């Protein structure tokens, strides 16, 4: 079994490569829930949905989120009524939030609702929310000291403001979701996907017991750098790293992950950094990590799997 700790787009692209090279049933994706929000009374789980849509071949590749071939009639109508349309829920995507929210209202856990959703989409990868407890990422803006909910910052403010702090509300009293710790303990290989280390991996690793479980098996863990040549492929990861006092490079990411993984996957563009990363006690594998096509994703997955061979 393979376990991947996942955020959104980068992790989804990596998983779409992994399923090309190993049976999907042998993969468990443990997914961030810190970006989740309740809007219009609906529970929206962006990272779980990006992963699920991508594995089902339904993801909108242009935006990176939402459903391919989407229409926006409900949002247009909502806007004309004066409703909150800042967070764009497409007509097809809305069905996901209706489906999940009704299951939760009837008493299902997020794990159970996710299982029903992924089964309905024909997904054979096991997709697990990292926790069933409410954990909400909050950011403090550097300039004003104002604290915002993650999506108010990310979508509402186009992730432009610089940050002073990030915290995960509720995480201290959260517990890992069912099967999460056993999946981590029993995996042949654990992969830290190329996701934002602060707001995608951060909320997962902050769940009590989770970081320890990952550290305990460090020798067979692999981390993939989400930063290539000093920039994130998507989103504000590089700015966030630097705002919070980390070097916004693959080396900065490696410093965060050195206690967690023995192997670090580095892009060819960053090969020059390999000696500095190896000095942290990690072994580097250098390859193309930019998943610009299905072939690039499967190549990256093969390199990661090569760690066990
Ligand atoms: N991102 C945007 O930039 N604008 C949106 O209006 C937006 C809506 C949205 C709806 C459902 C969903 O699952 C994701 C959505 N996202 C949107 C993406 C989301 O904010 C981010 O991908 C993540 O939370 C960051 O990883």
């Amino acid at each position: 079994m393979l376990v991947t700790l996942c955020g959104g787009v980068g992790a989804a692209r990596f998983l779409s490569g992994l399923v090309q090279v190993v049976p999907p049933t042998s993969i468990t994706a443990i997914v961030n829930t810190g970006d989740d929000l309740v809007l219009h009374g609906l529970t929206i789980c962006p990272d779980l949905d990006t992963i699920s849509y991508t594995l089902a071949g339904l993801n909108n590749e242009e935006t990176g989120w939402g459903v391919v071939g989407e229409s926006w009639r409900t949002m247009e109508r909502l806007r004309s009524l004066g409703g909150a349309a800042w967070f764009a829920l497409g007509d097809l995507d809305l069905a996901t939030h209706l489906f999940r929210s009704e299951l939760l209202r009837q008493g299902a856990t997020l794990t159970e609702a996710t299982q029903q959703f992924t089964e309905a989409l024909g997904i054979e990868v096991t997709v697990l929310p990292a926790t069933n407890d409410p954990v909400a990422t909050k950011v403090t803006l550097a300039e004003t000291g104002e604290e915002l909910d993650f999506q108010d910052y990310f979508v509402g403010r186009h992730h432009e403001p610089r940050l002073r702090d990030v915290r995960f509300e509720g995480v201290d009293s959260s517990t890992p979701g069912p099967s999460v710790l056993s999946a981590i303990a029993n995996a042949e290989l654990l992969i830290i996907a190329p996701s934002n280390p602060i707001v995608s991996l951060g909320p997962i690793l902050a769940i009590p017991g989770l970081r320890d479980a990952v550290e305990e098996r460090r020798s067979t863990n692999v981390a993939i750098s989400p930063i290539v040549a000093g920039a994130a492929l998507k989103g504000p990861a590089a700015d966030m790293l630097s705002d919070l006092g980390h070097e916004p490079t693959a080396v900065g990411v490696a410093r965060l992950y050195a206690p967690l993984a023995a192997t670090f996957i580095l892009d060819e563009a960053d090969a020059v950094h390999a000696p500095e990363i190896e000095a942290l006690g990690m072994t580097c594998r250098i390859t193309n990590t930019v998943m610009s096509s299905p072939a690039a994703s499967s190549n990256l997955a093969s390199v990661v799997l090569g760690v066990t061979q």
Side-chain angles (χ1 to χ4, degrees):
M1 197 192 42
L2 303 171
V3 162
T4 307
L5 304 184
C6 299
V9 179
R13 292 214 176 130
F14 176 71
L15 287 170
S16 70
L18 209 50
V19 298
Q20 295 178 58
V21 292
V22 293
T25 48
S26 68
I27 304 168
T28 297
I30 296 174
V31 183
N32 172 41
T33 58
D35 296 7
D36 296 5
L37 70 162
V38 175
L39 196 59
H40 319 300
L42 301 174
T43 301
I44 300 158
C45 305
D47 286 352
L48 282 167
D49 291 347
T50 296
I51 300 269
S52 302
Y53 290 150
T54 302
L55 288 170
L58 294 174
N59 200 50
N60 183 333
E61 288 296 323
E62 263 166 53
T63 52
W65 49 270
V67 182
V68 67
E70 189 56 281
S71 58
W72 304 95
R73 297 192 65 201
T74 310
M75 282 295 110
E76 282 157 19
R77 183 81 182 130
L78 184 62
R79 194 173 287 114
S80 78
L81 293 172
W86 62 274
F87 195 79
L89 300 172
D91 299 332
L92 302 176
D93 189 32
L94 266 168
T96 298
H97 314 310
L98 292 169
F99 181 72
R100 173 170 43 228
S101 302
E102 180 58 11
L103 287 171
L104 295 174
R105 202 192 57 77
Q106 288 171 1
T109 63
L110 185 59
T111 303
E112 290 162 347
T114 303
Q115 194 191 341
Q116 285 208 36
F117 178 58
T118 53
E119 247 176 58
L121 292 183
I123 294 168
E124 292 178 302
V125 170
T126 302
V127 180
L128 298 177
T131 179
N132 280 326
D133 298 316
V135 171
T137 299
K138 307 270 183 183
V139 302
T140 306
L141 307 189
E143 207 167 303
T144 59
E146 186 186 359
E147 187 174 73
L148 299 181
D149 291 342
F150 179 74
Q151 298 295 352
D152 286 339
Y153 150 76
F154 194 90
V155 175
R157 307 268 184 111
H158 313 287
H159 53 75
E160 281 166 2
R162 302 306 293 254
L163 303 183
R164 183 188 296 176
D165 195 20
V166 173
R167 70 182 181 99
F168 311 120
E169 190 170 82
V171 80
D172 292 343
S173 54
S174 71
T175 54
S179 310
V180 165
L181 288 182
S182 58
I184 291 174
N186 298 325
E188 210 179 303
L189 191 69
L190 180 140
I191 304 151
I192 299 177
S195 297
N196 186 316
I198 309 286
V199 292
S200 297
L201 271 303
I204 300 178
L205 293 166
I207 297 167
L210 216 141
R211 174 180 280 273
D212 288 347
V214 174
E215 282 183 3
E216 215 158 275
R217 43 156 308 145
R218 177 183 185 275
S219 63
T220 48
N221 296 344
V222 183
I224 306 168
S225 178
I227 302 284
V228 174
L233 295 175
K234 197 169 191 305
D239 280 346
M240 258 185 204
L241 282 167
S242 113
D243 287 351
L244 299 180
H246 308 286
E247 196 179 303
T249 63
V251 180
V253 176
R255 284 197 191 109
L256 289 172
Y257 289 155
L260 301 169
T263 306
F264 194 72
I265 310 283
L266 189 64
D267 193 82
E268 286 151 355
D270 289 316
V272 61
H273 296 306
E276 209 179 334
I277 293 170
E278 300 218 321
L280 299 168
M282 300 173 103
T283 301
C284 283
R285 298 262 174 141
I286 298 168
T287 189
N288 172 28
T289 64
V290 183
M291 294 176 284
S292 49
S293 66
S297 294
S298 77
N299 171 69
L300 178 58
S302 302
V303 171
V304 169
L305 293 175
V307 167
T308 51
Q309 282 151 17

